[in-house]
Amino acid sequence: MGIILILPILVAGYIYCMSSLYMKYRMHKYDGQLLYLLVGKFGIIFFSISAILTAIIFYICKKASFDICSYPINLDYIKYIRAFLVRNHISEEASVSKFVFFLHSSLISFILARYFPVLYIWLVKKRHKLLSTDQAKYFVLSGVVKGGIEKSLLNSIIEPGLLYMCSMSDRKVYVGTVSAISEPDEIQGVAEDFSLVPVYSGYRDKDSLSVCFNTFYKEVKKENGEDFTIHLKKENIVSMTLFEYDLFSKFQPKKEKHWVLKILGV
């Protein structure tokens, strides 16, 4: 009996944790008993809210009735559920009221756990006047992530169109716009993989580590009319920063003039 009572609580908590981006981001950090307690905590919250709503609904159903063309309409659907359960020997008449209340509360808790994260994302989108649901999702996550590469990847989705320069562990360098990042799940965090539409790519010199661009994708795009997409892993990024070509040019070492040109003052 105890397992039957606790099962809806755990299911509601699990549904919420799997539906909420915020909880997906945190779930992979929990393990063992801590994960059970986390799921159970949210399950208790949603089941408690649904129990209160169920009590209110039951009270309204008993009182609500009206006539249509002198034909009485009774909204008390609970009594039909009770009669169905007793008639089919699913529950005894003495305990059928408790069984229906428990069943009704469980169903509402599942619905609340599933759609509360959706409602929250919608409210964030409207409040901050974001253009898409994806932007709202990653806006929520950006408030959780403290900083570093994850923060830059999230900001790239919230503010699309910005150019980022990614320096990879193999000394490859990509400059482009981030088109998509992977969502967190119960195993891994946010942005473990991401997609980049490159503008330039090149490499870092093995001695000076200065950036040398040798591929310009805009020229290829003009010829073929296609966008290249590169799929990269966050773990391979050494550094990631906003890219502005004018600012980048100022940091580039100036080439020394030939000694003849110096003599001529050219």
Side-chain angles (χ1 to χ4, degrees):
M1 186 64 181
I3 297 176
I4 297 176
L5 291 174
I6 201 172
L7 187 60
I9 293 175
L10 294 177
V11 172
Y14 176 78
I15 291 173
Y16 172 73
C17 289
M18 294 303 296
S19 302
S20 170
L21 274 177
Y22 173 79
M23 290 313 304
K24 279 185 181 180
Y25 175 76
R26 295 175 59 88
M27 275 185 71
H28 72 282
K29 301 178 181 180
Y30 291 83
D31 194 13
Q33 293 181 350
L34 288 176
L35 185 58
Y36 286 112
L37 291 173
L38 180 71
V39 171
K41 180 184 76 172
F42 288 107
I44 290 173
I45 292 172
F46 283 107
F47 190 83
S48 300
I49 295 172
S50 65
I52 295 172
L53 291 175
T54 297
I56 295 172
I57 291 171
F58 280 20
Y59 176 80
I60 293 174
C61 287
K62 286 182 179 180
K63 302 294 182 179
S65 62
F66 55 92
D67 296 337
I68 297 179
C69 298
S70 301
Y71 185 80
I73 302 295
N74 193 339
L75 297 180
D76 189 9
Y77 64 93
I78 306 301
K79 66 180 182 181
Y80 298 108
I81 298 176
R82 292 195 191 101
F84 174 82
L85 294 175
V86 172
R87 186 170 60 253
N88 291 275
H89 307 288
I90 298 174
S91 177
E92 296 180 359
E93 190 170 357
S95 58
V96 68
S97 296
K98 294 180 181 177
F99 185 80
V100 171
F101 184 88
F102 178 77
L103 190 65
H104 199 280
S105 299
S106 300
L107 181 61
I108 292 181
S109 68
F110 299 158
I111 295 172
L112 289 177
R114 174 62 184 87
Y115 289 103
F116 179 79
V118 177
L119 176 62
Y120 180 70
I121 293 295
W122 182 81
L123 291 174
V124 169
K125 179 182 175 182
K126 293 298 181 182
R127 180 181 178 184
H128 297 279
K129 299 179 180 179
L130 300 173
L131 298 176
S132 66
T133 302
D134 286 339
Q135 286 182 316
K137 288 180 180 179
Y138 294 115
F139 183 87
V140 173
L141 285 176
S142 66
V144 184
V145 177
K146 294 181 179 179
I149 294 172
E150 283 185 349
K151 189 78 170 180
S152 297
L153 288 169
L154 287 170
N155 288 337
S156 68
I157 298 296
I158 298 170
E159 301 178 12
L162 297 177
L163 289 179
Y164 284 85
M165 183 170 70
C166 302
S167 299
M168 313 304 290
S169 57
D170 59 356
R171 292 191 292 111
K172 286 284 291 182
V173 176
Y174 297 98
V175 174
T177 56
V178 179
S179 58
I181 64 176
S182 62
E183 293 187 1
D185 55 30
E186 65 275 15
I187 299 175
Q188 62 182 15
V190 65
E192 295 297 329
D193 305 288
F194 67 99
S195 300
L196 185 81
V197 178
V199 178
Y200 316 112
S201 69
Y203 61 93
R204 286 190 179 274
D205 185 82
K206 64 179 181 179
D207 297 320
S208 64
L209 295 180
S210 60
V211 177
C212 303
F213 293 123
N214 55 13
T215 306
F216 302 90
Y217 294 88
K218 283 187 176 180
E219 298 176 1
V220 179
K221 180 182 176 182
K222 287 179 181 178
E223 294 177 3
N224 298 333
E226 296 179 357
D227 280 332
F228 287 91
T229 301
I230 300 174
H231 303 285
L232 302 171
K233 286 187 174 293
K234 182 184 68 179
E235 61 184 14
N236 295 330
I237 300 178
V238 176
S239 65
M240 182 177 179
T241 183
L242 276 171
F243 181 81
E244 294 181 12
Y245 189 82
D246 294 337
L247 185 61
F248 171 77
S249 300
K250 292 180 181 179
F251 285 94
Q252 291 300 97
K254 296 181 179 179
K255 294 182 179 180
E256 289 290 332
K257 293 182 179 180
H258 195 272
W259 65 272
V260 176
L261 296 176
K262 287 182 179 180
I263 293 174
L264 296 175
V266 179

